[in-house]
Amino acid sequence: RYEVPLLRPEDIVFGISNSGSASRTREAITLARATGNLTVGITGSLKGPLAQLTDIVLYRPVSAPLEIDASIRRVYLNMVEY
């Protein structure tokens, strides 16, 4: 699906997935690792596949802060995710 030859050895590949389970993200990271590129995962799950596949993991929690009223918590989470 992806064009590996577009990657140069000095390129860094970022994968972003809340759960870490997005198949296209995992596929892109796997291809980048196979060509020797540095990979960085940004995910809300340290136990998800993306965290296991990448060289560097940037963890960002996916739960809304308790200070946010329950009536707008879903809106907050959607804004953070996208």
Side-chain angles (χ1 to χ4, degrees), residues 45-74:
S45 171
L46 292 174
K47 296 180 181 180
L50 183 61
Q52 307 305 313
L53 287 173
T54 54
D55 298 308
I56 299 170
V57 177
L58 301 177
Y59 172 67
R60 62 162 187 85
V62 257
S63 59
L66 296 175
E67 300 83 32
I68 295 180
D69 186 77
S71 64
I72 60 169
R73 193 165 287 146
R74 169 89 49 202

Side-chain angles (χ1 to χ4, degrees), residues 22-23 32-34 36-37 44 50 54 56 64 82:
S23 61
R33 294 281 311 262
N37 292 90
L50 183 61
T54 54
I56 299 170
Y82 300 103

Side-chain angles (χ1 to χ4, degrees), residues 1-80:
R1 240 187 275 193
Y2 299 99
E3 295 292 328
V4 176
L6 295 176
L7 292 174
R8 297 170 301 183
E10 67 272 15
D11 290 338
I12 300 172
V13 177
F14 288 81
I16 304 170
S17 172
N18 250 350
S19 66
S21 298
S23 61
R24 290 182 179 170
T25 303
R26 291 191 335 260
E27 183 180 347
I29 292 296
T30 300
L31 288 170
R33 294 281 311 262
T35 60
N37 292 90
L38 179 66
T39 58
V40 179
I42 302 172
T43 183
S45 171
L46 292 174
K47 296 180 181 180
L50 183 61
Q52 307 305 313
L53 287 173
T54 54
D55 298 308
I56 299 170
V57 177
L58 301 177
Y59 172 67
R60 62 162 187 85
V62 257
S63 59
L66 296 175
E67 300 83 32
I68 295 180
D69 186 77
S71 64
I72 60 169
R73 193 165 287 146
R74 169 89 49 202
V75 172
Y76 172 84
L77 289 172
N78 284 333
M79 287 178 5
V80 170

